[in-house]
Amino acid sequence: MKVLVTGGLGFIGSHTAVELQNKGFEVVIVDDLSNSSLNVLEGITKITGVAPVFEQLDLREKALVEDFFKRHADIAAVIHFAASKAVGESVEKPLLYYENNVTSLVNILKELQKRPRASFIFSSSCTVYGQAEKMPITEAAPLQKALSPYGNTKQIGEDIVNDVAKVTNISAILLRYFNPIGAHPSAEIGELPIGVPQNLVPFITQTAAGLRESLSVYGNDYPTPDGTAIRDYIHVVDLAKAHVVALQRLLDHKNQEKVETFNVGTGTGSSVLEVITAFEKVSGRKLPYKIVGRREGDITIAYANTDKANAVLGWKAASTLEEALASAWKWEQKIRNLQ
Ligand code: NAD
Ligand code: WQD
């Protein structure tokens, strides 16, 4: 069974390609290398013993996407990761985000609607909930006006998939990821942030590796037990496995609706200080950090209710925060030649 993984050389896409190949799927990766590198292909091949088919292609290019699908008429499903994802950059360059995240999606769906049947998985985000009123967050929680163009592209993306699925042969699953962290336990693939990391865990591992002087903790005056903000950090391998079960559900026609939506998180919230403590424990290093002011646009607390994914997909995150942080640290040490 052939599956197209767009953005398959990126952080989550590469881990998903591994899990798909482990389950015997034939993986075709499309990526424009705007936020990834060809070395990732080697990593996937090393872990699984199989080299996925790869094409370097910019999904914004309608004619190229059309030609790609003509040449790959036997693709049964698409997992669509390709997107630009830096929240801050999206505020500076909104059109880049609207163009990339919306046009690429539209180009793919235009091709899929020509098929007698198609399965589609869309990378959405817990960002669509904004600051939810009730914890843990269920899929029924109201969506709030996005705080950034990036967040808005995820809401628009969900709307596009819903509207298109209604009137075509496309069945879809929207996966709303919470905070993906970690790396493959082999340390052959992991997260590769360009420049200064904006996300907590890569900043922590780079600080521990000596690339950054100290971590800035954005605010300790939140209404949480230790004053720092709370998130649901999920191991990227668990997240990758959620895609495989979601895909299988669509391929087996077990979906109850044309579009189904699932939260993908652990169900547990951890504060920034708890993440630091857990990292210090697994790495055996003291992490230099200082408390600074809140970061604009940050919410106080978000963690998932994962009952729906547990019950319907039979999926549950298996790794602990410590295991996820240990894998992120192993990866950082490997790429910095510290091991
Ligand atoms: P990533 O940047 O590591 O991976 C995205 C990949 O898509 C990159 O390899 C990039 O080169 C490629 N790409 C971007 N634009 C493209 C285009 N026009 N044509 C072809 N390839 C293109 O990001 P990630 O963390 O793996 O995220 C994957 C998806 O999950 C994204 O849609 C992101 O918005 C979503 N998501 C990520 C997070 C997170 O915290 N990482 C959380 C929620 C949702
Ligand atoms: C986590 C916590 C920070 C860095 C972002 C996007 C979201 C989603 C995931 C894609 C927060 C604190 C961070 C640092 C810190 N992406 N922090 N010092 O903000 O929950 O979500 O990535 O869809 O859309 O907004 O993740 O890892 O940036 O931050 O104190 O140097 O760590 O304030 O409380 P966030 P994050």
Side-chain angles (χ1 to χ4, degrees):
M1 184 74 75
K2 226 184 225 186
V3 180
L4 170 62
V5 180
T6 76
L9 296 188
F11 175 42
I12 308 167
S14 58
H15 289 83
T16 303
V18 164
E19 297 307 320
L20 288 167
Q21 294 201 153
N22 283 344
K23 290 280 181 207
F25 287 98
E26 266 180 79
V27 172
V28 179
I29 290 177
V30 159
D31 201 300
D32 67 354
L33 303 180
S34 57
N35 198 30
S36 51
S37 98
L38 276 176
N39 298 337
V40 179
L41 259 187
E42 283 168 36
I44 297 170
T45 310
K46 229 170 162 182
I47 297 167
T48 60
V50 181
V53 173
F54 172 67
E55 279 197 33
Q56 184 174 346
L57 190 154
D58 184 343
L59 292 159
R60 290 173 298 187
E61 302 288 340
K62 185 174 180 294
L64 296 182
V65 175
E66 204 175 337
D67 171 67
F68 172 88
F69 277 94
K70 267 192 197 130
R71 288 183 288 107
H72 294 275
D74 52 348
I75 281 176
V78 178
I79 308 185
H80 181 49
F81 293 103
S84 302
K85 66 161 179 178
V87 176
E89 187 189 45
S90 81
V91 176
E92 304 297 321
K93 301 175 184 166
L95 287 177
L96 175 76
Y97 277 70
Y98 286 112
E99 186 186 29
N100 195 21
N101 297 4
V102 178
T103 310
S104 300
L105 173 64
V106 169
N107 285 344
I108 293 168
L109 293 176
K110 266 188 181 161
E111 294 311 307
L112 287 187
Q113 70 174 0
K114 297 177 184 165
R115 308 272 170 114
R117 165 158 252 147
S119 301
F120 187 77
I121 296 180
F122 178 67
S123 294
S124 189
S125 167
C126 66
T127 192
V128 299
Y129 299 117
Q131 179 56 74
E133 263 177 36
K134 281 191 216 137
M135 292 299 133
I137 305 171
T138 70
E139 290 82 355
L143 306 192
Q144 287 179 22
K145 185 172 164 40
L147 293 167
S148 68
Y150 166 76
N152 204 17
T153 67
K154 290 296 158 189
Q155 296 197 354
I156 294 169
E158 288 199 359
D159 286 345
I160 291 173
V161 175
N162 275 306
D163 291 343
V164 173
K166 242 179 249 164
V167 293
T168 64
N169 297 319
I170 300 169
S171 291
I173 288 183
L174 311 174
L175 295 179
R176 292 179 179 157
Y177 315 154
F178 280 67
N179 289 54
I181 61 164
H184 194 269
S186 64
E188 294 295 344
I189 54 173
E191 194 169 4
L192 281 169
I194 292 174
V196 181
Q198 303 303 307
N199 295 116
L200 179 63
V201 171
F203 202 103
I204 287 178
T205 55
Q206 287 197 7
T207 305
L211 274 79
R212 316 270 157 217
E213 213 167 283
S214 125
L215 169 76
S216 296
V217 174
Y218 297 135
N220 68 349
D221 58 351
Y222 283 102
T224 61
D226 67 20
T228 62
I230 291 175
R231 298 288 186 274
D232 184 339
Y233 297 94
I234 175 168
H235 196 307
V236 65
V237 173
D238 282 330
L239 175 56
K241 287 179 177 167
H243 292 78
V244 180
V245 289
L247 176 69
Q248 201 58 59
R249 178 172 173 83
L250 289 173
L251 294 174
D252 294 343
H253 313 305
K254 291 213 171 109
N255 51 307
Q256 304 279 312
E257 292 159 85
K258 281 306 288 296
V259 181
E260 294 179 324
T261 304
F262 297 97
N263 284 341
V264 193
T266 65
T268 302
S270 305
S271 72
V272 177
L273 291 180
E274 283 170 340
V275 174
I276 293 172
T277 305
F279 178 79
E280 288 180 335
K281 188 174 163 205
V282 299
S283 66
R285 298 196 175 201
K286 201 90 200 118
L287 191 84
Y289 73 86
K290 55 181 186 296
I291 308 287
V292 301
R294 292 183 181 192
R295 181 171 67 177
E296 205 189 316
D298 271 356
I299 54 166
T300 303
I301 181 165
Y303 59 93
N305 177 314
T306 60
D307 289 352
K308 191 175 170 195
N310 299 164
V312 178
L313 297 176
W315 172 93
K316 208 174 178 27
S319 302
T320 62
L321 175 66
E322 288 181 4
E323 286 164 342
L325 289 170
S327 71
W329 179 227
K330 186 176 173 190
W331 164 249
E332 189 73 57
Q333 287 176 290
K334 187 193 165 196
I335 58 175
R336 307 299 165 200
N337 294 316
L338 292 173
Q339 267 179 335

